């Protein structure tokens, strides 16, 4: 008797982790790109104040990401992706000050408070932490560059307000992203941990989507 591959009992997904992550989050990525807040922001229908609201909310996201990253710096899984050149919190702080905001006086929107909780809950599971790391930093290194360009173009923001998108010390973003994917593919994780990583990345995209929803709701209020 022959067994067709389609009907064979489930086997572990043999694709590299980076390919699995990209495939599993492709639909979520399209949704994030076309979220009303993102689409309006990118098309020039909002204003610098609304970009500032986004930067303020990202402040909480990166504070959690980078604090948990510091706590996990001795973990071989987290350490494989952690890199000081990616650190965004000091830049977001400086951008907010340049945009006229005191970071000590801002509060997270409800979706962002939940996002922060989710990041903090990965302190005991580095595989899931990597999912959050991937979702934000690889996004900043990709679409983030387009965002910075549009913010200059539509709202006249200058580099002092957009340092978040500048990665000093990373020469070629494409090469860096390729090496990041290589590091993902070499993570010492068993199948169950890879599964958790992929699921958490889908959930991380969901948190971003919810943040955009709250930002949209906030501006309509
Ligand atoms: C303004 C909206 C956005 C645009 C224009 C955009 C654009 C892009 C582009 C062109 C790439 C492909 C880069 C490459 O293959 O090297 C990319 C990749 C990526 N984006 Fe976005 N993006 C946007 C929003 C987002 C958001 C909101 C997130 C999540 C927070 C995100 C996360 C990612 C990730 C993780 C990747 C890497 C995919 C992979 O290769 O594994 N993006 N983005």
């Amino acid at each position: 008797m022959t067994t067709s591959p389609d009907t064979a009992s489930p086997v572990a997904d043999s694709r590299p982790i980076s390919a699995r992550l990209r495939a599993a989050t492709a639909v979520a990525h399209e949704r994030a790109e076309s979220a009303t807040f993102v689409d309006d922001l990118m098309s020039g229908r909002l204003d610098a104040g609304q970009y500032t609201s986004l930067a303020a909310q990202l402040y909480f996201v990166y504070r959690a990401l980078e604090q948990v990253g510091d706590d996990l710096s001795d973990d071989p899984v987290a350490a494989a992706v952690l890199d000081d050149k990616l650190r965004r919190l000091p830049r977001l702080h400086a951008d907010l000050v340049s945009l006229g905001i005191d970071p000590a006086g801002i509060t997270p929107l409800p979706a962002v408070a939940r996002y922060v909780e989710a990041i903090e809950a990965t302190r005991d599971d580095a595989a899931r932490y990597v999912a959050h790391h991937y979702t934000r930093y690889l996004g900043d290194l990709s679409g983030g560059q387009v965002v910075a360009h549009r913010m200059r173009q539509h709202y006249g923001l200058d580099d002092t307000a957009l340092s978040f998108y500048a990665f000093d010390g990373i020469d070629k973003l494409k090469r860096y992203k390729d090496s990041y994917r290589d590091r993902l593919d070499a993570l010492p994780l068993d199948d169950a941990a890879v599964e958790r990583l992929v699921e958490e990345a889908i959930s991380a995209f969901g948190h971003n989507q919810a943040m955009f929803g709250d930002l949209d709701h906030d501006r309509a209020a």
Side-chain angles (χ1 to χ4, degrees):
M1 194 181 104
T2 57
T3 325
S4 108
D6 292 344
T7 55
S9 57
V11 286
D13 189 331
S14 60
R15 286 174 299 172
I17 294 175
S18 63
R20 288 183 61 179
L21 269 173
R22 179 185 270 180
T25 58
V27 170
H29 187 271
E30 266 172 43
R31 259 189 231 128
E33 267 186 282
S34 53
T36 307
F37 183 85
V38 174
D39 190 38
D40 284 355
L41 183 73
M42 296 292 280
S43 308
R45 289 191 287 272
L46 303 185
D47 55 34
Q50 271 139 359
Y51 172 74
T52 306
S53 301
L54 171 63
Q57 293 306 311
L58 288 176
Y59 184 79
F60 298 106
V61 173
Y62 284 84
R63 191 171 64 183
L65 259 180
E66 292 173 8
Q67 275 172 358
V68 176
D70 287 343
D71 293 348
L72 287 173
S73 60
D74 290 334
D75 181 289
V77 170
V81 294
L82 289 171
D83 182 347
D84 262 341
K85 292 200 278 293
L86 295 176
R87 208 175 271 279
R88 300 290 92 192
L89 191 65
R91 287 166 179 272
L92 269 175
H93 191 284
D95 288 358
L96 287 173
V97 171
S98 153
L99 290 159
I101 295 289
D102 174 5
I106 55 179
T107 48
L109 289 165
V112 173
R114 289 192 294 275
Y115 190 179
V116 164
E117 260 176 49
I119 294 169
E120 285 174 349
T122 67
R123 223 182 228 104
D124 60 357
D125 186 357
R128 288 193 298 127
Y129 173 75
V130 169
H132 288 280
H133 194 277
Y134 159 82
T135 302
R136 281 303 331 179
Y137 295 108
L138 222 54
D140 299 333
L141 291 163
S142 307
Q145 302 307 302
V146 188
V147 177
H149 175 70
R150 298 278 177 90
M151 297 307 102
R152 282 188 205 100
Q153 188 187 28
H154 293 311
Y155 310 120
L157 297 179
D158 62 21
D159 290 351
T160 60
L162 297 168
S163 73
F164 173 74
Y165 300 99
F167 288 89
D168 298 348
I170 301 183
D171 241 14
K172 299 259 182 275
L173 297 188
K174 160 128 185 30
R175 195 184 303 156
Y176 188 89
K177 285 189 285 182
D178 288 345
S179 82
Y180 186 99
R181 291 191 191 97
D182 289 344
R183 284 181 274 145
L184 284 177
D185 294 341
L187 288 176
L189 295 174
D190 61 19
D191 290 343
V194 174
E195 199 62 48
R196 292 200 304 280
L197 198 173
V198 171
E199 287 302 314
E200 190 73 19
I202 295 169
S203 162
F205 269 86
H207 283 294
N208 280 276
Q209 191 72 20
M211 172 177 72
F212 298 137
D214 271 11
L215 282 162
D216 195 40
H217 188 261
D218 211 38
R219 89 182 146 119

